[in-house]
Amino acid sequence: MSSKPAFKVLGRDTQRQDGVAKVTGREKFASDLSLPNMLHARVLKSPYAHAKVKRIDVSAISDPTVVTLTPDEVPDARFCPRLMSTPEATYKDWTVLTSKPRYVGETIAAVAAESEEAAQRALESLVVEYEEFTAVFDALGSMEPGVEPIHDYIELDEETLKVESNIACHLEIEEGDTEEGFRQADHVVERTYRTNRRYHTQLETKSVLVRPEPNGGVTVWSTTQTLHNTRILLHEIFGIPMGKIRVMKVPIGGSFGSSIQVNPVVPIAVALALKARRPVKLSYTREEDLHDHCSYQMIFKLKLGADREGKLTAGHLDAWLDIGAHQIQAYPLLGCVVGWWVSLYKLPAKSYVGKAVYTNKVPSCAFRGYGNPQITWAVETLMDELAEKVGVDPLDFRFMNYIGEGDLFWGQGPSVKSVIHSCGVEEILTKGAEMSDWYNRPRAETQTGRHRRGWGMGRGYHTSSAGAPVPGTVIDFGGAMLKLNEDGTFDYVSALMDHGGGTLDANAKIIAEELEIPHHKVNIVRADTGTTVYDVCTHASRGIYSGGGAALKVAAQVKQKIREQAGNLLDAYPNALKFRYDQQREQAVVYAEGIEGREITYKELAYTMRNKNLGTIAAVDSYRQPSCPPHFTGYFIEVDVDTWTGKVRPLRVIAGADIGTVINPKLAKGQIHGGLAQGWSMTVNEDTPYDPTSGDLWNRGFISDYKVPTSMDLPSLEAFTVFFADTYEPTGPFGAKGIGEGALNPVAGAVANAIQNALGVRFYELPITKDRILEALKRKEVEA
Amino acid sequence: MKIDVTINGRERSFDVPPNTLLLNLLRERLDLTGSKYGCGIGECGACTLLLDGEPVLGCMTLAVDCDGRTVETIEGLGDGDGLHPIQEAYLEEGAVQCGFCTPGFIMTTKALLEEEPNPSEAEIREYLKGNVCRCTGYVNIVAAVQSAAGKMR
Ligand code: FES
Ligand code: FES
C-alpha cells in the first residue's frame, strides 16, 4: 500500500487535446500532407535477396521532368539510423541507397515526378543489371563456414570492423559461478525456443514530406518517434548545419517501435528534394512497408536450475538474434535481452552468450517491448515447467523468486542499473489468483472431448525509460519548455512524441497538477527541432516517467517564478504564498493566506507583468531521470482450444498492472487492451516466413495474409478485466511510471501456459498456430 | 470522364481518368484526408466512407462509379462546431489512440447504427471486423459503439 497524495487532476479521465482533430478527420498525419509544387517519389526495391547492382540505366525514362536518384548520387557515409546509444555502441552499416542489396525490398534507386503515377512509370523504365549472390535466411545457418558474407566491413565509432561469420556483434556476461549454481540445483530444465518474426502493422505506412529551403536547409515532416535524432542523422549524412534542418512534429499513425530509427524513406526524400529543389513526398505502400521493418526473431537456449524448495540457483542463456540485413540496434538489444532475462527472477549465478546475426531478410527493429516479449515468453514457459519438476504451483514458484522492491534492476542492459523502489507484483499476482480462482484451475491432461479449456499466467515488466544514477551506453534524457500566457493558460512545448497513448496529455496533466489548474489550461504545442530542447525519443515506455519528469521540472520552476513575481506585486514573502483554483473566475489564484486583498490570478499576474514590462514567466530545461523503475504486469488468461481445428480462443483475461500513479485511467487501460491484442496474436497468429527460393516474404506484403487480430478474435468486454496496483514510484512525476510495453510483455507466456494447461502439450516455437497444435496433438496420440 | 458527385452535402463536378480511385480523388483533389490510406487494397478499412449511405472502401471504389451518387466522409459528420454523438462517444470512451483508424471506424459505426440502432456486442464485433486497429485491441471502440447507440436512441 502506498500513501498517495490526493490529486486534483491526475487519476481522472480527461479528453485528449488532439481528440477533436482525430475524430473529425482533420488531423494531418505525415502521409496526409502535401505542399504546392510537390513531387511524388517512388523507390526501386531489390527483387533479389542478395545481389550486386552492376548497372542502372535511367535513359529509358521518357518523361524529362522526372528526377532520378542512384547510389552514386548520395553521400556514401555509413550510418546507423537509430541514435539512442553512445558512439561506442552504435554499429553503422547503412547507406541512403545501396548498390549491394541484402534483402528483397532494399532500396536501390528513387525517382520523383509530378504524380505518383508518373513516378511509377518512370520507375518501371529503369533498367538495372544485377549479379546475384546466394542468400541465407536462417540465423544459425548464416554463421556456418562458407556462407556468403552479407557485409564485409561495417563501422563502429569511426573504426572499420571486419564481419566474421555474419555475426553483427556479440555480448557475453557472467555473474557468479554458474557451474556451481547448477551443481547446487536439484532440478534443471533446459529448452530451446524460437520466436516469430512479426510485422508492426502500424496503420500508417512510413511516410515523409521534405521541403528544400532557400538557405540550403530542409524542413521535414515524417513518421518518427524522435525529432532531434532525425535532425542529427540528416546533419551527419548530408552535412547540412543543424539549424537549417527543421524536423516538424506531426502525429504518427501508430509505430510500436518502428520509427525509433529514422525511417529509410527520410534520407531518400531529402536527397531527392535537394536534387529537385522542390518539395518531395514519399509514402510507402503497404507492400513496401512490410518490406521495411519487422521484429527481431530470436532463438534461445535457456537453462534454469532450482533447489528442492523452489529457489532458483542458476541460469544460462544462449541467444541468437536474427537481425535481418542491417543493424538498427542489435548491440543494445543484446544487452537488453540479458537485462530483461536477469531482471525477472533472482538468479544467484547467471551466464549469457548473445549473438546478433545477419540474414538476407528485412532489417529487424524494436517492436513494443524490444525483445522483452520474446524472452519473457521463454522464461515464463520454462518457469512453469520447472515449477512442475520442483512440485510447486507455478504461481507460488514465481512468488518465491521474483525481483521486486529493493532489488537491483537492469532491464535496459548491463549499463543501466538502478534499484527498484516501487513494486506491485504481490498485489497483481494475489488479486489475479483470486479473480481467476487460480488454485482450482483444471489440471493439464485431465480433459477429454473436442473443446479443452486451460488457464495460464505470465508475469513481467518493462522499464520506464532507460534512466540510471550513472551514465551508460544508452542516451536517455528529455526536456520541456513551459510559459505562462497572458490569459492565465500555459504553453507546454516539448519534442516528445505521443504514439497515441495520450502521453503528452498525461504530461500536461502533470503540469496542471503542479500549477493547480485544470488540464485544458495547459496547451500542448506542436513544435519542431528549432523550438524545443533535445529529447532522445519516445521509446522504452519513457513518455510519462521521463517526459513527465521534464514537464514537472519546468512546472516547478515556473511555479517558483510565479511565487517570486506574485510576491513582489503583492508585497508578500514568495515562499509563504499559496495556490488555489477559483472555479468561478476560472483562474488559479496566488494568495497570502488569511490576509485580505493579497491575491492575484495567473491572468492578472501575466497581464500586469506585460504592462509593466517585467517579462514572461517561462522555464526551459533538460531532465535526466535518476532511475529506471520497472512497471510490472501480470496476466491470467483462460483459453478454449478446439482440438478438431486447432483454433485457440480467449475466454477470460485478467490483467493487473503496477504503473504507479494512474494519470489517465481509460487510456492506461487502453494500453493493456492493445498489449493483450498484440500479445495474443504474437502467440497464435503472427509471423513473416520467407520463401527460400525467391527470398521474398511468403505474404508478399499483404496484411490479410499476415493476420493481425480483428474485433472478432478478442475477448468480450465482460470477459476482460484490467486492474491497477496501488503503488507510488518515489522517483516518478507524482509517483507515475510507464505502461506501454509492460502491457504486452507477459501475454505470450500466459497464453502459451494456458494452451499447455488445456492440452498438456508445450510449444517451443511461436506462433502456436492451428497447424502446430493439430500436429502436436497427433504426435501425442501416436506416442500414447 | 466527367462525373457529378455530392460530397458531404455539396454537389461537385470532376473530370477524372477512369482509373481514379475515390480515395485519391478525395485526398488529392479536395484535401479530404480524413479517409486514410492504410493498404490501398481493401485489407484495413482505414478508408471506409459512405456511398449512398452504405459503407464502402474508398480504395476499392472507382470515382466514376460515384457519378450521380452521394458520398459522405468523416469530414461531413457533425455540424460545424458540434461533434456527432458517435464522435463524442469515441472520445469519451478512450477509443482513439493514434487515431489513424478512427475515421474508418466512425464511418463504419455510423452505417451500423443506421442499420441496427440496438446492436449486441457480438453484432458490433461482427460489423467492425473489416476495420483494423492496432492500438486499442478494439475494447474501447466496442464500448464507444455501445455508448453511441445509447446516445442516438
Ligand atoms: S486503405 Fe482501403 S482498405 Fe485499407
Ligand atoms: S487507434 Fe491506432 S490504429 Fe486504431
Side-chain angles (χ1 to χ4, degrees), chain B residues 23 36-47 57 59:
Chain B
L23 181 63
K36 301 296 176 198
Y37 170 92
C39 68
I41 48 174
E43 296 188 297
C44 73
C47 61
L57 299 173
C59 73

Side-chain angles (χ1 to χ4, degrees), chain A residues 393-685:
Chain A
D393 185 274
L395 183 60
D396 299 332
F397 190 43
R398 286 169 173 87
F399 270 121
M400 291 162 80
N401 291 289
Y402 76 92
I403 287 180
E405 199 164 330
D407 293 328
L408 189 66
F409 173 83
W410 44 289
Q412 285 281 346
S415 78
V416 190
K417 290 186 173 159
S418 63
V419 171
I420 299 175
H421 292 295
S422 62
C423 170
V425 174
E426 305 81 355
E427 192 181 333
I428 293 168
L429 297 188
T430 310
K431 264 199 194 160
E434 254 170 50
M435 293 164 84
S436 61
D437 196 14
W438 174 257
Y439 292 101
N440 294 316
R441 71 196 185 284
R443 303 293 129 183
E445 315 274 356
T446 56
Q447 297 182 57
T448 51
R450 175 172 171 180
H451 287 272
R452 314 219 179 132
R453 289 176 163 212
W455 275 97
M457 64 86 45
R459 58 160 294 269
Y461 64 83
H462 205 79
T463 56
S464 313
S465 84
V470 297
T473 54
V474 186
I475 297 165
D476 194 329
F477 73 96
M481 179 174 89
L482 186 69
K483 64 181 165 67
L484 172 62
N485 299 325
E486 287 70 18
D487 63 351
T489 62
F490 292 84
D491 283 340
Y492 161 49
V493 191
S494 153
L496 194 78
M497 290 293 299
D498 184 345
H499 299 189
T503 312
L504 290 169
D505 282 90
N507 295 348
K509 285 168 83 167
I510 286 169
I511 292 169
E513 186 72 45
E514 175 70 7
L515 293 166
E516 316 250 358
I517 44 174
H519 156 243
H520 70 262
K521 294 248 174 192
V522 183
N523 174 44
I524 301 164
V525 177
R526 255 187 210 155
D528 62 87
T529 42
T531 52
T532 53
V533 290
Y534 185 83
D535 178 272
V536 67
C537 182
T538 304
H539 77 137
S541 303
R542 67 184 283 283
I544 287 179
Y545 177 70
S546 179
L552 181 57
K553 188 178 182 186
V554 291
Q557 292 171 2
V558 160
K559 195 172 188 180
Q560 184 54 28
K561 291 185 186 183
I562 291 175
R563 275 181 194 285
E564 282 159 17
Q565 295 288 353
N568 283 341
L569 294 173
L570 297 175
D571 190 21
Y573 297 111
N575 60 351
L577 290 175
K578 296 201 157 183
F579 294 74
R580 71 178 145 81
Y581 190 70
D582 183 335
Q583 296 286 358
Q584 243 159 21
R585 281 185 281 179
E586 293 187 3
Q587 279 294 317
V589 180
V590 192
Y591 65 101
E593 196 176 27
I595 316 291
E596 203 160 320
R598 299 295 175 91
E599 65 162 49
I600 187 166
T601 65
Y602 284 178
K603 181 177 174 176
E604 289 161 350
L605 177 66
Y607 261 113
T608 309
M609 286 181 64
R610 172 183 173 273
N611 295 342
K612 291 181 186 284
N613 305 301
L614 292 172
T616 299
I617 289 183
V620 55
D621 212 338
S622 295
Y623 177 68
R624 158 68 179 196
Q625 59 287 2
S627 182
C628 184
H631 55 278
F632 294 101
T633 47
Y635 278 88
F636 293 76
I637 298 179
E638 186 185 19
V639 299
D640 169 280
V641 188
D642 183 339
T643 56
W644 291 10
T645 63
K647 188 169 170 67
V648 188
R649 279 186 316 122
L651 296 177
R652 275 212 67 191
V653 175
I654 295 160
D658 154 27
I659 67 171
T661 299
V662 181
I663 295 178
N664 278 314
K666 269 193 187 150
L667 290 180
K669 283 188 181 174
Q671 289 296 302
I672 306 270
H673 301 150
L676 181 271
Q678 289 184 355
W680 175 263
S681 60
M682 164 182 175
T683 322
V684 300
N685 276 345

Side-chain angles (χ1 to χ4, degrees), chain A residues 157-227:
Chain A
D157 205 8
E158 318 275 305
E159 305 260 322
T160 303
L161 296 181
K162 180 153 174 51
V163 179
E164 307 281 358
S165 311
N166 283 327
I167 297 173
C169 48
H170 66 101
L171 181 68
E172 289 181 28
I173 283 180
E174 175 149 25
E175 273 190 18
D177 188 340
T178 316
E179 259 177 55
E180 179 53 31
F182 281 119
R183 263 197 299 276
Q184 284 170 8
D186 297 296
H187 305 281
V188 175
V189 180
E190 182 183 59
R191 297 281 181 255
T192 301
Y193 300 85
R194 187 186 273 263
T195 76
N196 32 4
R197 190 178 184 83
R198 294 166 297 134
Y199 166 61
H200 302 67
T201 326
Q202 80 294 342
L203 259 269
E204 183 185 24
T205 58
K206 299 306 169 196
S207 300
V208 63
L209 171 63
V210 180
R211 183 177 62 205
E213 302 297 348
N215 65 4
V218 286
T219 305
V220 177
W221 296 261
S222 65
T223 44
T224 187
Q225 296 176 219
T226 165
L227 303 184

Side-chain angles (χ1 to χ4, degrees), chain A residues 201-204 252-254 256 499-500, chain B residues 95-102 105 132-138 141:
Chain A
T201 326
Q202 80 294 342
L203 259 269
E204 183 185 24
I252 186 163
F256 314 113
H499 299 189
Chain B
V96 180
Q97 287 191 29
C98 79
F100 201 81
C101 70
T102 307
F105 270 97
V132 173
C133 174
R134 192 60 154 162
C135 298
T136 64
Y138 309 99
I141 292 178

Side-chain angles (χ1 to χ4, degrees), chain A residues 28 32 200 286 704 709 711, chain B residues 33 36 38 43 125 134 138:
Chain A
K28 294 278 186 196
D32 295 328
H200 302 67
R286 181 57 64 181
S704 309
S711 48
Chain B
T33 56
K36 301 296 176 198
E43 296 188 297
R125 288 184 181 271
R134 192 60 154 162
Y138 309 99

